[in-house]
Amino acid sequence: MTIEWRYTVEQDLGILSVSGYLGPDAVRRFTGAVGWVVGRGSGPVIVDLTGLRGWSAEGQLTIIEAARRLAGAGRGLELAAIPADGSLVPDRDCPPIPVHADLAGALASHGTRHGEAPEGRHEWRTTGWPSADVSAPGAEGGDCAHLRSR
């Protein structure tokens, strides 16, 4: 089992939404998504785990590694809606990872609401991401062999 992901940039805030199961089989795909994120946008990145069915210890470690990678690029990582089956326990060398109950709370902490101000909004997603979920006006995407663009 793997994951699907969508990355949205709104103003100076990135939202990486992930669905599926973040286990050993999905670590490489998640790492690739983070690479995509590092190259696009600026400012903090909220990893929205609302659609995640669960995560393994390897999945949790890859989130911690993503926080380090983003910090190295001058960006922070925040989590929204972590799975109920676990908590993230970063080590001392990890940058702080704020955790929010849900995406709305994470966005509120930045003074934004999802879908507001569609001008300047860009979106990329894997081909398996549900198309009914990408109807936001003004969204556009990039081209990548394994991504569907809008």
Side-chain angles (χ1 to χ4, degrees):
M1 184 182 287
T2 189
I3 59 164
E4 299 296 335
W5 60 267
R6 178 186 65 202
Y7 179 58
T8 307
V9 176
E10 294 183 16
Q11 299 162 358
D12 288 331
L13 181 66
I15 304 165
L16 177 60
S17 301
V18 181
S19 67
Y21 180 76
L22 186 54
D25 295 340
V27 166
R28 188 170 175 189
R29 191 169 201 175
F30 183 80
T31 300
V34 172
W36 190 264
V37 167
V38 168
R40 289 156 186 82
S42 61
V45 176
I46 297 169
V47 179
D48 176 19
L49 302 175
T50 303
L52 201 64
R53 289 190 287 274
W55 54 8
S56 67
E58 294 90 347
Q60 292 179 19
L61 289 174
T62 202
I63 296 251
I64 292 168
E65 198 52 45
R68 286 188 182 109
R69 189 171 177 190
L70 286 164
R75 302 176 73 183
L77 181 141
E78 301 178 23
L79 296 176
I82 64 170
D85 65 348
S87 62
L88 189 68
V89 183
D91 58 29
R92 288 185 298 199
D93 298 333
C94 186
I97 302 175
V99 177
H100 305 276
D102 55 24
L103 181 59
L107 293 171
S109 75
H110 292 278
T112 20
R113 289 196 304 214
H114 192 49
E116 229 175 60
E119 59 281 344
R121 177 183 167 138
H122 302 280
E123 182 176 283
W124 299 267
R125 57 191 162 97
T126 55
T127 55
W129 191 266
S131 60
D133 195 37
V134 294
S135 60
E140 61 182 70
D143 292 321
C144 188
H146 67 283
L147 298 178
R148 180 185 306 154
S149 63
R150 204 176 143 169

